[in-house]
Amino acid sequence: MPTLVPDLVYRAGAFHPGLAVEVDAATGRITRLAPAAEVEAAAVTRLRDVALLPGFVNAHSHAFQRLIRGRTQWRPADDSASDFWSWREAMYHAALGMSPDDVYSVSRFCFLEMLRAGITTVGEFHYLHNDPAGRPYDDRAELARRVIAAARDVGIRISLLNVCYTTGAIGEALRHEQRRFGTPDVAEFVETAATLADDMDRDPLVTVGIAPHSVRAVPRDVIRALHDWSTRRRLPFHMHVSEQPAEVEACLAAYGRRPVEMLHDDGTLDERFTGIHATHITDDEVRMLARSGATVCACPTTERDLGDGILRAVDLVRAGGRIALGTDSQTVIDPLEDMRLVEYHERLQRLERVVITRAAVADRREPAPLLLDMATSVGARSLRLDAGALEGGMLADMVGVDLTHHTLAGWTPGTLASMITLSAPSDVISDVWVGGRHVVQDRQHAQQEEAMRGFIEVARALAGTA
Ligand SMILES: [Zn+2]
């Protein structure tokens, strides 16, 4: 592919003019960043009025949940509670009706929507395993393969996080509505995950990880065993953690420890560990997560929708912790919105402005560079990928921001990062490259209409049963 020369390149926390990005089409990686003046004009694609940034990494997604967008925004007539637990019942209903083809169609459209919002990698926390009756498919990884095919077809990079799910709550059998999620035979689950990892070994767009669903769905000894296994294979290890107070209480009652404390005691928190949500953690747990090198994946648009609570992002950052971002339930697919909510939720909570900052640059402390790291390099680290930065040797996953967009009018090199992260809609993203492939061009993806038709068909069928 030709060398790209945009107006600005985002690198090491700031925008720089005059840089060319050279990409090796064969490896899908950036060869080097060079002064634009040194690059031969014939081999160059000039990106006018474009700022190039690393592509966004969505570290936590359940693609099939795109199907229930809009379907849970109501409360029963008797005014009984609408919360995470009542939302979960609607999610179960959607999950139960989907055929493997439906899973493909919904995932494909969801991934396409992500690409258009600038997401170049998705960490897909995949827990739909069985057929609608709860029986395993002949190929235990049937639905995982459909999700991977959907990602590959639209050209998004995917880390398929195989989810282990064995109990309905701590010490309780799976409920009937959870029958599609169950992986009761842990040895078989591990074997399926290993086969999938081996099969995908040479696919440049696909990697695999392991994910005990939560302390609710996986017993303590199994979490430990899965962690040992993932350590031997050096795979990312993801898990929902402390999303709801009831989950913390159940963990305390069963194990005498809060979820993060328990994982800390068991040696599970480490550089490969990513805890999703962590919206209910103590000061001690903040320190445990930060010191262990673990990542916390915030999903602020989902946490806002579900009334989960607010991440203690300021405390985590001050303790040296790492925060990645995820779209989770797909209520909103907009990494810019997720970035800014981490900061804005804390402002509302603390009655203060400009709170998530680290080192000062030129007498200023700004949140924008940290928020961009969350959406790029920290997410890539959580999924063990060489992505999230525009540097030689890194995967050529990039987004182009349209500098002529009306919401960016008046930008300067000094204000652009703040405008993008704290004010702009995702519509400012006009172009997206994954592994050097130009998959979104001028806000269009080649499969847009066809993928949307496929999705609408599945959504209409679900409406008939809701
Ligand atoms: Zn989740």
Side-chain angles (χ1 to χ4, degrees):
M1 88 178 253
T3 296
L4 304 178
V5 181
D7 285 16
L8 297 168
V9 172
Y10 187 78
R11 184 190 205 189
F15 284 102
H16 304 275
L19 284 174
V21 180
E22 285 184 6
V23 175
D24 179 351
T27 61
R29 288 179 184 261
I30 297 169
T31 322
R32 63 170 187 147
L33 267 63
E38 279 180 18
V39 181
E40 222 179 290
V44 156
T45 296
R46 178 80 175 89
L47 301 171
R48 271 179 219 293
D49 298 314
V50 168
L52 207 61
L53 290 89
F56 303 132
V57 176
N58 180 4
H60 186 72
S61 151
H62 311 286
F64 79 91
Q65 292 180 11
R66 174 62 181 83
L67 193 56
I68 59 169
R69 184 184 290 180
R71 290 172 194 268
T72 60
Q73 306 293 6
W74 53 277
R75 195 181 260 273
D78 66 3
D79 211 23
S80 56
S82 183
D83 57 14
F84 169 84
W85 308 101
S86 60
W87 168 86
R88 198 174 68 153
E89 298 303 319
M91 183 268 284
Y92 288 168
H93 177 78
L96 286 174
M98 296 170 86
S99 70
D101 285 349
D102 294 345
V103 170
Y104 171 84
S105 297
V106 172
S107 302
R108 177 162 80 136
F109 182 64
C110 185
F111 294 150
L112 196 150
E113 211 177 330
M114 288 180 192
L115 283 169
R116 289 196 55 183
I119 292 167
T120 48
T121 294
V122 58
E124 179 64 20
F125 198 98
H126 175 76
Y127 62 90
L128 267 183
H129 298 301
N130 303 319
D131 76 10
R135 287 180 305 250
Y137 289 97
D138 288 343
D139 174 1
R140 301 289 191 270
E142 168 78 31
L143 296 179
R145 289 183 202 278
R146 297 298 185 114
V147 172
I148 289 170
R152 209 191 261 133
D153 287 354
V154 294
I156 197 169
R157 193 178 302 287
I158 184 168
S159 174
L160 195 287
L161 303 160
N162 290 284
V163 175
C164 181
Y165 202 123
T166 66
T167 58
I170 299 176
E172 289 176 21
L174 282 178
R175 287 171 45 194
H176 190 59
E177 308 86 88
Q178 296 165 323
R179 62 189 179 271
R180 296 201 76 174
F181 315 149
T183 50
D185 185 330
V186 176
E188 186 184 270
F189 165 76
V190 167
E191 199 186 304
T192 306
T195 305
L196 196 63
D198 293 342
D199 290 353
M200 299 301 155
D201 201 28
R202 266 189 280 277
D203 192 314
L205 280 188
V206 186
T207 49
V208 163
I210 204 89
H213 180 276
S214 57
V215 297
R216 287 180 273 127
V218 185
R220 183 176 188 174
D221 57 330
V222 177
I223 295 172
R224 269 198 307 250
L226 291 172
H227 183 261
D228 289 347
W229 185 78
S230 73
T231 303
R232 286 197 295 280
R233 293 203 55 137
R234 296 202 201 92
L235 298 178
F237 185 92
H238 283 218
M239 186 173 168
H240 291 121
V241 175
S242 301
E243 179 176 9
Q244 286 281 326
E247 173 194 331
V248 176
E249 282 153 28
C251 192
L252 273 167
Y255 302 120
R257 307 289 279 153
R258 302 168 61 87
V260 174
E261 291 173 340
M262 185 188 95
L263 295 165
H264 174 261
D265 288 356
D266 291 351
T268 309
L269 302 182
D270 60 19
E271 303 231 321
R272 284 179 310 97
F273 180 92
T274 296
I276 318 300
H277 303 301
T279 34
H280 298 279
I281 53 175
T282 61
D283 291 347
D284 277 347
E285 291 177 305
V286 166
R287 280 190 289 272
M288 287 169 185
L289 286 163
R291 284 184 190 157
S292 64
T295 302
V296 170
C297 181
C299 308
T301 47
T302 290
E303 287 146 12
R304 171 176 74 179
D305 178 61
L306 295 177
D308 279 340
I310 294 174
L311 179 71
R312 299 179 58 180
V314 172
D315 294 335
L316 273 165
V317 166
R318 283 183 187 155
R322 296 175 174 83
I323 300 171
L325 299 173
T327 61
D328 193 6
S329 67
Q330 329 298 356
T331 301
V332 173
I333 297 177
D334 182 351
L336 301 181
E337 177 81 349
D338 276 318
M339 276 184 237
R340 75 183 55 123
L341 284 184
V342 178
E343 165 76 16
Y344 284 150
H345 279 165
E346 282 275 39
R347 291 190 191 185
L348 289 168
Q349 185 98 323
R350 290 168 180 263
L351 311 180
E352 203 187 324
R353 297 192 68 246
V354 191
V355 289
I356 300 180
T357 63
R358 206 173 268 159
V361 178
D363 296 337
R364 284 175 175 218
R365 290 175 169 272
E366 295 183 53
L370 261 179
L371 298 178
L372 281 166
D373 285 352
M374 291 177 194
T376 56
S377 55
V378 182
R381 180 183 175 279
S382 154
L383 297 169
R384 321 295 292 168
L385 293 169
D386 301 332
L390 301 183
E391 297 291 349
M394 302 297 272
L395 293 162
D397 297 353
M398 308 174 283
V399 297
V401 166
D402 171 9
L403 295 172
T404 66
H405 195 275
H406 69 95
T407 58
L408 299 177
W411 68 269
T412 67
T415 60
L416 185 57
S418 295
M419 279 179 141
I420 293 171
T421 54
L422 295 166
S423 300
S426 62
D427 190 44
V428 297
I429 291 154
S430 57
D431 292 82
V432 179
W433 293 261
V434 179
R437 232 185 102 212
H438 199 175
V439 288
V440 174
Q441 303 192 26
D442 198 13
R443 298 182 180 79
Q444 303 299 311
H445 186 289
Q447 295 169 32
Q448 209 155 280
E449 276 156 34
E450 188 201 334
M452 190 152 94
R453 271 199 304 277
F455 173 79
I456 289 170
E457 232 171 77
V458 181
R460 288 216 173 113
L462 179 72
T465 63

